[in-house]
Structure formats: C-alpha cells, structure tokens
Amino acid sequence: PICERGCLRTGYDTTTGDEDGMTTNTIGQVEPFQQGVDDWEQYTERLEQYFIANGIEGDNKKLAVFLTVVGAKTYALLSNLVAPSKPASKTYAELKEVLQTHLKPKPLIIAERFKFHQRKQGEGESVPQYMAELRKL
C-alpha cells in the first residue's frame, strides 16, 4: 500500500513475498525525503534505524531500499549530482555522502558567529527556550 506522499506503508501487517517463498513483515515507515521540509541528517538516522529494525544488511540491499524510498525528486537530484553515472552504480555510503555535501554544506564560521551574536532573547521567551534556540545555532 502506498500513502498519499508516495511512501511505502509498512507500519501495519504488510507482507511481501521473498525469493524463497517465505513472507516477512516489515516494521516502520519511511517516507520520501522532502528537501526544504525534512532535515537530511535526521532522515538518514531514521533510515538507518529502519534498516536495523528490518534486518536490512549489505550495501546492495541498503542501496536498493534507499533508492526506492527516497522519492522521485531526491532520486532526480541524485541522478544530476552523480551524472554521468547512475545512482544505482554507486554505493549507499557514496550516495549518502553526495547528498550530505549538497544539502548540508559546511557552514562558514564567520557567518555562524554572526548569527549567534545577533540572536536576542524574544519577549515572552523563557530562558530555557532561549538557551535551546542558541544551541541550535
């Protein structure tokens, strides 16, 4: 079953046939990555947990699942980033690093310091909330 965002629904009793005729239940749900909405590091952390929960081991299997669930837009982005190669010709780790470099470039230290020093405590913002926001910077 497919959800409205194109994700593979696996949070309930879905069974898929294996090559040996056995059926397996999958645990969890991985939705397509949405650039500008989702955080790439958090997405990959969730995907790694999905791999662990479902016993997905080996680079080829991880690569196949990753390319299947990442979504059409992210797949197209990957295709452009690794051209003229195809994403399936790379390893899971290589593709993860390519997207990490593209989506989360190393920040400029001087710009980050400026943002930190410009952050002021807002009216009605508690000290713990202010501290949490500072930590994000």
Side-chain angles (χ1 to χ4, degrees):
I2 304 294
C3 75
E4 57 279 353
R5 279 181 56 186
C7 60
L8 178 62
R9 286 194 186 261
T10 56
Y12 52 90
D13 186 24
T14 59
T15 55
T16 56
D18 286 342
E19 298 164 76
D20 60 2
M22 302 284 289
T23 58
T24 57
N25 288 329
T26 54
I27 302 168
Q29 174 177 318
V30 181
E31 296 175 341
F33 177 75
Q34 291 185 338
Q35 189 174 349
V37 176
D38 297 327
D39 178 83
W40 177 248
E41 289 177 11
Q42 290 178 356
Y43 184 84
T44 56
E45 287 171 10
R46 287 186 60 233
L47 186 60
E48 293 291 336
Q49 292 304 309
Y50 179 82
F51 291 157
I52 292 167
N54 290 291
I56 298 169
E57 297 175 354
D59 195 63
N60 288 340
K61 189 104 174 184
K62 286 182 179 182
L63 176 64
V65 171
F66 172 68
L67 291 176
T68 302
V69 301
V70 77
K73 288 182 181 179
T74 305
Y75 185 87
L77 174 62
L78 264 173
S79 295
N80 291 335
L81 293 173
V82 300
S85 300
K86 294 197 180 276
S89 70
K90 303 292 183 185
T91 66
Y92 167 66
E94 287 172 335
L95 292 181
K96 199 167 88 166
E97 183 61 33
V98 164
L99 279 173
Q100 174 71 25
T101 302
H102 180 76
L103 297 171
K104 290 274 216 175
K106 192 172 180 178
L108 297 172
I109 294 173
I110 195 161
E112 295 303 309
R113 282 185 185 155
F114 178 77
K115 281 198 299 191
F116 179 81
H117 290 292
Q118 290 299 110
R119 178 63 166 92
K120 306 287 186 236
Q121 185 175 2
E123 249 183 76
E125 183 178 33
S126 70
V127 172
Q129 288 172 328
Y130 177 61
M131 295 296 292
E133 290 299 317
L134 284 177
R135 286 188 185 103
K136 285 184 189 176
L137 299 176

